[in-house]
Amino acid sequence: MSRNPYVRPVSPTTWYMRNGRYIKYMLREVTCLLVGFYSFFLICVLAILAGGSEERWLAFLASQQNAFWLAFHVIALLFYLVYMTFDWFQLAPKAMPLQVGEQKVPPAFIVAAHYVAWAVVTALVFLLAGVF
Amino acid sequence: MSKRTLDIEVLRYDPEQDTEPHFMSYQVPCEEDWAILDALNYIKEELDTTLAFRWSCHMMVCGSCGMMVNGEPVLTCKTFVRDLPKDVRIEPLENFPIERDLVVVLDDVMEKLQMAKPYIIRKDPPPENEEFNQPRSALYKFKQYTMCVNCMCCYSACPQYALDSSFIGPAVLALAHRYNIDSRDQGKSERLDILADHDGVWNCSFVGACSEVCPKNVDPAAALQQMKIDGAKAYWLQKLPGGKS
Amino acid sequence: MAIAKKSVVWGVFAAGGTVAAFLFPALIALFGLVASGTVPEGLEYANLHGFASTWIGKIILFFVISLALWHAAHRLRVVFHDFGVRKDKIVAKAVYLVAAIGTLLTAYYLFAIG
């Protein structure tokens, strides 16, 4: 008997369409575009501040105040929360499991701790920015 | 007990005749409490003796009956007829070459298993003439990883292994991690030198599918993330003066 | 065999991901607030410029922006691979170069703010 193994082809460009869990993973991965975009957005803010002109800052703020940017930020925020932030918290107990004595700390507890810390950090940023 | 007839499609491949696999359909009168493995045995005994598939224990410990059932990698001995629709499609585990019918070639994983050095490595000799005690708290740190039965369902679920089979993959890396975090073991840096090298653990992108499909509730995805943290730490520790190279 | 240099970028990726997961929702919300027509007090020129002039402000801004950039760069490298681009060496060089440029720009502008 001769061996003649058959290798099933895998599409390198569309493999993730076969299963919902892979699509969810890809949505998480493309959040890096938002992280990159907002990082450079912040660099632009720094560039304007470095210019030292209040007029340019006011002009920048004015250029932001329209329906396009409002929609952009709102959609970006929702997408980012679901596929980046919440996903990151959900996976945290896998990367950093805790065990106290013989007892494993329930993963849900670690996830909850992340949400609490996130709420505190968010509140601090808002406080610092003078939202409240 | 009532019978239920399933329409089962099985992917067939005869390496001596076929150029590519094809589906064959069987109508199988199943007992209500059957597992899919029982249905396969019925096909082999009553309908088509040429069907090839692996199985041994029928009780979730041997790990040989892993197959794709309706697109999910499962142990067919713990996948029950009562939980499935009338139409069932059975294929060999994905991401592995097909040897014949539902039998896959596992040579690649068997070779990689050796890279993991899945045994306790000691630098200092273990205690002589006395038991090598381990507190339960230390055992519980790695116990879940000892449950792996090498069924390779995780490799079937892993897209990174599918896209690039040079990746060492979930079960083998999880097994290595099981020894890395064993309090009796001293071989962690030896293993990391191999497993955190270029084609090692870094090819994992934390899809997490391996853990979702594991029939023994092992969490390979967790092991791999922890190994990445260990690898990232060890990289810098080796740079320190007096650090091991 | 030895531990790959990938471990270094992975470490930065993980740190940056944590920073981005915790902080970016609040930052995006702030920009959203601006877009809706309300400029919070902290984003007025004098206040923001004042914050970026302090040492603590500079350190926070530098680490948040640069870590997030390297996180994005590393994940983008994986995204290219996952969409079927198999030139990992070139992709890696390109994405890390962009992250490096962004890091330098961040440092430069923070320095220039004085």
Side-chain angles (χ1 to χ4, degrees):
Chain A
M1 279 223 276
S2 61
R3 288 183 71 178
N4 180 24
Y6 180 83
V7 177
R8 285 162 285 180
V10 175
S11 160
T13 48
T14 58
W15 57 270
Y16 43 87
M17 296 306 286
R18 296 166 7 136
N19 191 312
R21 66 164 72 93
Y22 300 146
I23 294 174
K24 193 167 159 265
Y25 157 77
M26 290 301 259
L27 288 172
R28 179 240 279 176
E29 293 297 287
V30 296
T31 58
C32 72
L33 296 174
L34 285 176
V35 177
F37 171 80
Y38 279 103
S39 298
F40 276 102
F41 199 86
L42 287 169
I43 292 175
C44 291
V45 167
L46 292 184
I48 296 169
L49 291 177
S53 143
E54 184 163 6
E55 274 82 66
R56 274 195 62 203
W57 178 245
L58 290 174
F60 168 73
L61 289 180
S63 76
Q64 276 281 306
Q65 286 164 341
N66 53 52
F68 168 79
W69 280 111
L70 181 61
F72 183 92
H73 292 310
V74 168
I75 293 167
L77 179 60
L78 291 176
F79 187 79
Y80 191 86
L81 280 176
V82 172
Y83 290 106
M84 166 65 193
T85 296
F86 298 164
D87 197 88
W88 194 269
F89 295 167
Q90 211 59 45
L91 297 177
K94 287 182 185 271
M96 292 176 294
L98 283 176
Q99 187 180 315
V100 179
E102 292 175 11
Q103 214 63 43
K104 187 182 178 192
V105 176
F109 181 85
I110 300 176
V111 175
H114 274 77
Y115 275 96
V116 172
W118 174 62
V120 171
V121 167
T122 303
L124 267 176
V125 171
F126 285 167
L127 201 67
L128 203 67
V131 176
F132 309 134
Chain B
M1 218 178 291
S2 63
K3 289 208 188 244
R4 190 170 160 236
T5 301
L6 292 191
D7 293 320
I8 300 184
E9 275 190 308
V10 180
L11 194 66
R12 302 295 304 269
Y13 173 67
D14 181 344
E16 285 157 336
Q17 310 268 329
D18 301 337
T19 50
E20 57 179 31
H22 56 94
F23 282 103
M24 276 181 76
S25 298
Y26 305 94
Q27 285 209 324
V28 183
C30 299
E31 299 289 348
E32 197 60 30
D33 61 348
W34 273 11
I36 280 297
L37 180 55
D38 298 310
L40 283 172
N41 274 321
Y42 181 91
I43 296 174
K44 185 155 176 88
E45 281 160 21
E46 309 289 336
L47 307 175
D48 187 345
T49 55
T50 64
L51 179 65
F53 58 96
R54 286 194 182 113
W55 73 286
S56 175
C57 76
H58 202 302
M59 49 191 272
M60 300 165 233
V61 289
C62 77
S64 35
C65 69
M67 297 168 207
M68 309 298 295
V69 174
N70 288 346
E72 285 283 295
V74 294
L75 288 181
T76 49
C77 67
K78 70 169 286 197
T79 304
F80 291 95
V81 165
R82 59 172 174 267
D83 299 325
L84 290 168
K86 189 174 162 52
D87 295 304
V88 175
R89 174 174 273 208
I90 306 177
E91 297 159 86
L93 280 180
E94 266 164 14
N95 303 342
F96 294 107
I98 305 175
E99 187 82 62
R100 173 188 292 268
D101 297 343
L102 297 170
V103 177
V104 292
V105 182
L106 290 171
D107 301 359
D108 181 47
V109 179
M110 293 306 134
E111 270 167 40
K112 282 169 178 162
L113 204 51
Q114 315 215 358
M115 297 169 75
K117 305 189 186 217
Y119 38 80
I120 287 178
I121 298 172
R122 293 291 301 180
K123 303 250 156 69
D124 317 319
E128 259 178 77
N129 303 325
E130 55 179 303
E131 288 174 64
F132 199 163
N133 282 330
Q134 181 171 49
R136 260 192 305 190
S137 58
L139 169 69
Y140 289 167
K141 280 199 166 51
F142 66 81
K143 189 162 181 237
Q144 60 132 328
Y145 300 119
T146 67
M147 299 301 181
C148 173
V149 293
N150 300 320
C151 65
M152 302 305 146
C153 285
C154 53
Y155 280 77
S156 272
C158 176
Q160 297 305 350
Y161 183 70
L163 294 172
D164 178 1
S165 64
S166 66
F167 175 38
I168 299 171
V172 170
L173 287 165
L175 185 62
H177 186 65
R178 170 249 174 278
Y179 285 94
N180 279 348
I181 59 175
D182 188 321
S183 61
R184 298 163 298 181
D185 182 84
Q186 297 172 325
K188 181 160 127 180
S189 65
E190 202 175 306
R191 285 192 203 92
L192 285 178
D193 274 345
I194 301 167
L195 306 174
D197 200 354
H198 202 73
D199 277 324
V201 69
W202 313 110
N203 283 18
C204 162
S205 59
F206 207 170
V207 180
C210 48
S211 301
E212 284 173 37
V213 302
C214 179
K216 301 294 284 186
N217 292 319
V218 181
D219 195 345
L224 268 69
Q225 304 328 301
Q226 292 161 36
M227 189 183 272
K228 287 179 198 171
I229 296 176
D230 287 345
K233 277 188 202 157
Y235 180 87
W236 292 108
L237 286 176
Q238 289 180 1
K239 299 273 171 225
L240 287 177
K244 185 211 141 288
S245 64
Chain C
M1 292 216 176
I3 296 176
K5 282 209 178 68
K6 261 189 186 173
S7 62
V8 179
V9 277
W10 184 83
V12 182
F13 158 81
T18 307
V19 166
F22 275 95
L23 275 176
F24 270 45
L27 293 176
I28 300 173
L30 283 181
F31 290 128
L33 207 59
V34 169
S36 78
T38 330
V39 178
E41 217 175 289
L43 294 192
E44 281 165 19
Y45 182 78
N47 292 335
L48 200 55
H49 194 276
F51 177 71
S53 304
T54 60
W55 272 110
I56 185 83
K58 281 188 206 301
I59 290 168
I60 291 172
L61 286 167
F62 179 75
F63 277 102
V64 169
I65 296 174
S66 57
L67 284 175
L69 261 178
W70 284 89
H71 165 85
H74 184 68
R75 197 166 246 185
L76 190 60
R77 176 183 176 185
V78 179
V79 167
F80 271 109
H81 165 85
D82 288 347
F83 277 112
V85 180
R86 283 300 131 79
K87 305 264 181 237
D88 185 58
K89 281 199 171 124
I90 300 169
V91 169
K93 272 190 188 131
V95 294
Y96 296 143
L97 181 70
V98 173
I101 291 171
T103 306
L104 287 175
L105 281 176
T106 307
Y108 171 76
Y109 288 132
L110 283 170
F111 182 75
I113 286 169

